[in-house]
Amino acid sequence: MHAITISEPGGPEVLVWDEVPDPIAGEGEVLVEVVASAVNRADIMQRQGFYNPPPGASPYPGLECSGRITEIGPGVSGWSVGDEACALLAGGGYAEKVAVPAGQLLPVPAGLDLKQAAALPEVVCTVWSNVFMVAHLRPTETLLVHGGSSGIGTMAIQLAKAVGAKVAVTAGTKGKLDYCAELGADILINYREQDFVAEIERATDGAGADVILDNMGAKYLDRNVQALAVNGRLAIIGMQGGIKAELNIAALLGKRAAISATSLRARPLGEKAAIVAAVREHVWPLIEGGRIRPVVDRELPMSEAGTAHQVLEDSGHIGKVLLVAP
Ligand SMILES: NC(=O)c1ccc[n+]([C@@H]2O[C@H](COP(=O)([O-])OP(=O)(O)OC[C@H]3O[C@@H](n4cnc5c(N)ncnc54)[C@H](OP(=O)(O)O)[C@@H]3O)[C@@H](O)[C@H]2O)c1
């Protein structure tokens, strides 16, 4: 088969559409003929040499895909050859075929195009596991999403609105904030021009954000704690603003607040399967009911993965960039 390989750590030009050995469906796995994958910021870090695949995972990038099952490995039940599905992956989505643990498969939501389903697994599982399973966002609460127009952000806005919460977002341009408003965001903050701590305080009558979904890490740690409400929960999922920062523990204690940090990719198979099952139960009906949709900025041929990475690095997108297999 063909897959995107990383010839050496570096810029988008190191991504090469190459001939490689076919994957094999092992115990508990199925083989999927990939129709589409989607780009995640973690793929860029992997390409640059800063985010190696966990042991046993495919060396090729790609944390999600959609496609058709062509082979069922030993010990798999509930899926058949020919089924259409989308899947959460530990790697290997930028390829014509990928082996997938059966617990990470999801049916294509009714009413959704098979290609578009590739934009769902990574963002839905990340948002659901962090905002709902860990931070327990409630309908009466306010969620602050940093990077509201990102793949993650566009899903977080829709999911939080679907449960009835109030949503604040940060983004770097008016156009992106306008798009977040179309998705339902209530409080719009331009992080280049406004101080999000002051804006959250103003918009919540001084109460603060009950939950913050953070992509920035170190750079925003102190200000995120300042922006939290009493009993607030800060869910860190990214390190775009660095990995080391000082934490004012007194500020955290005073608010009886909590900080969590998770990474989906390296979690054990059982934990991923539990997240996927929860997503199927709670989120799939919202998609099938038309309340939530994948936000796809553009589709590119998979062989042009380098161009797709450049789009993300330039922040030239809203939502997800799809890579379509030949
Ligand atoms: N832990 C996990 O399991 C997990 C899983 C998936 C994703 N993630 C993380 O989630 C984040 C989003 O991923 P993605 O694939 O959706 O990325 P993406 O679409 O490339 O989005 C990156 C976002 O970062 C925003 N941003 C840049 N500087 C900012 C700042 N100073 N303040 C606020 N926002 C800023 C950008 O906003 P503008 O475009 O407006 O500049 C953009 O919306 C990444 O950090 C990624 O690593 C974590």
Side-chain angles (χ1 to χ4, degrees):
M1 69 161 184
H2 281 82
I4 289 286
T5 61
I6 300 171
S7 55
E8 58 182 328
E13 69 286 351
V14 304
L15 298 178
V16 182
W17 186 239
D18 228 348
E19 204 168 329
V20 299
D22 278 17
I24 295 162
E27 176 78 30
E29 293 182 336
V30 306
L31 204 62
V32 171
E33 188 179 59
V34 175
V35 166
S37 184
V39 184
N40 288 280
R41 194 144 282 258
D43 307 341
I44 294 170
M45 288 165 61
Q46 179 174 345
R47 189 202 72 213
Q48 292 168 334
F50 301 129
Y51 193 46
N52 290 330
S58 163
Y60 317 124
L63 300 176
E64 55 197 339
C65 75
S66 61
R68 292 182 189 86
I69 295 175
T70 54
E71 206 180 305
I72 304 280
V76 174
S77 59
W79 294 94
S80 307
V81 168
D83 282 351
E84 294 186 340
C86 56
L88 181 69
L89 307 172
Y94 293 15
E96 289 177 312
K97 296 174 191 174
V98 64
V100 185
Q104 289 165 221
L105 289 166
L106 284 153
V108 177
L112 206 68
D113 169 46
L114 178 57
K115 244 190 304 183
Q116 301 247 322
L120 289 172
E122 177 73 13
V123 292
V124 177
C125 290
T126 301
V127 173
W128 187 261
S129 59
N130 282 280
V131 176
F132 295 92
M133 295 170 80
V134 175
H136 301 291
L137 180 72
R138 288 184 286 267
T140 50
E141 294 189 322
T142 299
L143 169 70
L144 167 61
V145 182
H146 287 303
S149 68
S150 64
I152 290 285
T154 52
M155 184 50 62
I157 296 168
Q158 295 184 80
L159 270 172
K161 290 308 294 179
V163 305
K166 195 171 182 180
V167 178
V169 294
T170 59
T173 67
K174 181 177 181 310
K176 289 184 175 180
L177 288 170
D178 288 346
Y179 194 88
C180 293
E182 278 174 38
L183 290 175
D186 307 282
I187 303 163
L188 310 173
I189 305 166
N190 186 325
Y191 71 76
R192 294 183 201 277
E193 296 169 359
Q194 294 170 292
D195 171 20
F196 74 82
V197 180
E199 293 304 316
I200 286 291
E201 199 178 313
R202 199 173 52 79
T204 59
D205 295 327
D210 300 289
V211 175
I212 300 177
L213 184 63
D214 175 63
N215 59 332
M216 297 303 291
K219 188 176 173 187
Y220 277 4
L221 181 64
D222 185 51
R223 283 194 285 158
N224 275 335
V225 172
Q226 287 179 43
L228 276 181
V230 168
N231 292 317
R233 289 87 72 200
L234 166 61
I236 300 176
I237 60 164
M239 303 173 284
Q240 287 171 238
I243 58 170
K244 285 188 183 169
E246 214 168 80
L247 173 65
N248 182 339
I249 294 170
L252 204 63
L253 283 176
K255 291 186 172 176
R256 303 185 292 286
I259 300 177
S260 61
T262 69
S263 162
L264 188 55
R265 188 184 200 182
R267 291 176 84 146
L269 287 184
E271 287 185 23
K272 285 190 197 172
I275 292 168
V276 166
V279 156
R280 187 169 177 172
E281 182 185 347
H282 298 287
V283 184
W284 252 225
L286 296 172
I287 299 171
E288 295 184 336
R291 300 194 53 200
I292 289 177
R293 61 182 172 84
V295 174
V296 175
D297 183 89
R298 72 190 76 182
E299 293 174 11
L300 288 167
M302 197 168 276
S303 54
E304 292 174 28
T307 307
H309 276 211
Q310 194 62 60
V311 170
L312 247 77
E313 286 180 78
D314 294 343
S315 256
H317 65 300
I318 289 179
K320 303 283 294 186
V321 176
L322 287 187
L323 293 175
V324 181

